[in-house]
Amino acid sequence: MVYAIGFILFALGITLSVALHECGHMWTAQATGMKVRRYFIGFGPKVFSFRRGETEYGLKALPLGGFCDIAGMTALDELDPEDLDRAMYRQATWKRLLVMSGGILMNFLLGFILIVILAVGWGLPRFDQPPATQLGNMSCVQSQTSAQQVVPCTGEGPAQQAGLRRGDIVTAVNGVPVKTWKEFVEQTQKQTGTFTYTIDRDGDTLTVPVTPQLATIYPEKDGRPKTVAKIGVGQDFYEPVQYNVLAAIPASAAFTGDILGRTVHALTQMPAKVADLLEAVTGGERDPETPVSVLGASRIGGESAERGLWELFVLTLASLNFFLGAFNLLPLLPLDGGHMAVVIYEKIRNVFRSRKGLPPGAPVDYLKLLPATYVVVVIGGAYMLLTLAADIVNPIKLFP
């Protein structure tokens, strides 16, 4: 039940993010004197609508986005004679750029507000995490009697008995080099008796013998009981840093800058992730760094809520808003960035025409840009379908 509530809440959060994106376009258009004819949330058949002033507001059956219909967004738009002077394509360059960037700015603002809430409510996670194989908290070894039931334990575990310490960095398990926590766990679980860890402790290389304890686990992959070697240790990590309201503003600004940098990097990696997504769809292991669809993101939201990790819920929703804003900045039609590129092109062209004593040129003919637009739509649609298929067949699992 909690999972379902989290899933629905996250899906609603995505819908609200898109709705506010379109509000950004609408409010800036209205503020600069342009005519907004319609503002709808969703697509498909109309559920209801009402008119306030010159704008029709409404809801459509499929909550998969929304749209804001601004009169004269391009010269191809049919206009009533009385609306001609208010046509968007006839407005000053700064007004057009403000309106086209309004949705992007709204997503960035919403993401920032969520980060501030995260900073005050739970704390901001640290990006400077310790090495992947650094040992964290240590305890006794727990075993399972079923997939849902864990046997309580007391006393020290094998890691403590062997003299391992929090902060030790494991570089090899019984002579096998390890670079990730997953490799560390796999190599540890396959041991059958006393073995050695090669560790880095404060710059010194040590070899520590460890006698593991056999325990029963129920892997999520097949759900069958399995006996493995365990030593009672977790991965080390730095705790989030919590702030008061005043200190949260600058801290959130710095954190937002880090997220935006990572978002831009993720955008540049999207073409390279096609092979990883294809591998996931065809039965390979899902790379947790691959993009997710609305379904995949909502599933992460549901799992976060189920485990009480609302801070992860908020961070994921904030990250999605930053991604949505950054993605729309790409200079490709039909994205906002594509329309902004057209406006900037017209401005630069007219500056050069003015220097030559020529009048401003005609608005860009969007019909000539349709082939390129269709290519972007087809490629983007195929990418979204591939991501959706991966989320259905082989979803990302953040929790064991």
Side-chain angles (χ1 to χ4, degrees), residues 135-136 138 156-170 195 197 199-202 206-211 231-233:
L135 303 183
M138 300 180 187
E156 292 186 341
Q160 293 164 302
Q161 294 169 358
L164 292 170
R165 305 174 188 172
R166 180 171 186 172
D168 288 344
I169 302 172
V170 178
F195 65 100
Y197 282 130
I199 65 170
D200 181 340
R201 177 181 293 170
D202 299 327
L206 305 175
T207 300
V208 180
V210 183
T211 302
I231 65 167
V233 67

Side-chain angles (χ1 to χ4, degrees), residues 21 24-25 28 88 94-108 329 336-337 340:
H21 175 96
H25 293 310
T28 50
M88 182 175 175
W94 72 266
K95 291 184 178 181
R96 296 169 68 187
L97 289 177
L98 177 63
V99 172
M100 295 314 306
S101 63
I104 296 170
L105 295 174
M106 181 61 71
N107 284 128
F108 289 159
L329 270 174
D336 295 336
M340 294 167 68

Side-chain angles (χ1 to χ4, degrees), residues 196-356:
T196 60
Y197 282 130
T198 304
I199 65 170
D200 181 340
R201 177 181 293 170
D202 299 327
D204 296 327
T205 300
L206 305 175
T207 300
V208 180
V210 183
T211 302
Q213 182 176 330
L214 297 182
T216 301
I217 63 172
Y218 286 76
E220 187 175 300
K221 194 168 186 179
D222 55 21
R224 298 177 181 177
K226 180 181 179 182
T227 301
V228 298
K230 299 181 73 174
I231 65 167
V233 67
Q235 186 177 16
D236 200 10
F237 68 96
Y238 298 144
E239 295 285 349
V241 180
Q242 199 165 4
Y243 300 86
N244 59 40
V245 176
L246 291 178
I249 302 300
S252 298
F255 188 82
T256 295
D258 289 335
I259 288 187
L260 286 174
R262 291 168 179 263
T263 300
V264 172
H265 177 72
L267 282 173
T268 63
Q269 296 299 308
M270 283 184 67
K273 295 298 182 181
V274 172
D276 294 330
L277 287 169
L278 286 171
E279 182 180 356
V281 171
T282 55
E285 186 175 353
R286 180 74 182 270
D287 181 356
E289 297 297 324
T290 50
V292 295
S293 64
V294 172
L295 173 66
S298 299
R299 178 174 282 156
I300 292 173
E303 292 177 350
S304 302
E306 186 177 37
R307 288 163 173 78
L309 299 174
W310 290 101
E311 64 272 31
L312 179 58
F313 183 100
V314 174
L315 178 59
T316 304
L317 188 57
S319 299
L320 186 142
N321 272 276
F322 290 129
F323 182 84
L324 182 60
F327 183 75
N328 269 284
L329 270 174
L330 294 177
L332 302 170
L333 290 171
L335 302 177
D336 295 336
H339 291 286
M340 294 167 68
V342 170
V343 174
I344 293 172
Y345 163 76
E346 289 181 348
K347 179 63 176 179
I348 294 174
R349 179 202 60 187
N350 289 339
V351 167
F352 282 103
R353 288 179 64 88
S354 176
R355 290 178 178 177
K356 296 178 181 179

Side-chain angles (χ1 to χ4, degrees), residues 153-201:
C153 67
T154 58
E156 292 186 341
Q160 293 164 302
Q161 294 169 358
L164 292 170
R165 305 174 188 172
R166 180 171 186 172
D168 288 344
I169 302 172
V170 178
T171 57
V173 179
N174 224 26
V176 178
V178 291
K179 294 183 178 180
T180 67
W181 189 256
K182 180 180 178 182
E183 292 174 349
F184 165 81
V185 172
E186 289 176 347
Q187 290 300 321
T188 298
Q189 288 184 346
K190 67 171 58 174
Q191 305 303 318
T192 57
T194 301
F195 65 100
T196 60
Y197 282 130
T198 304
I199 65 170
D200 181 340
R201 177 181 293 170

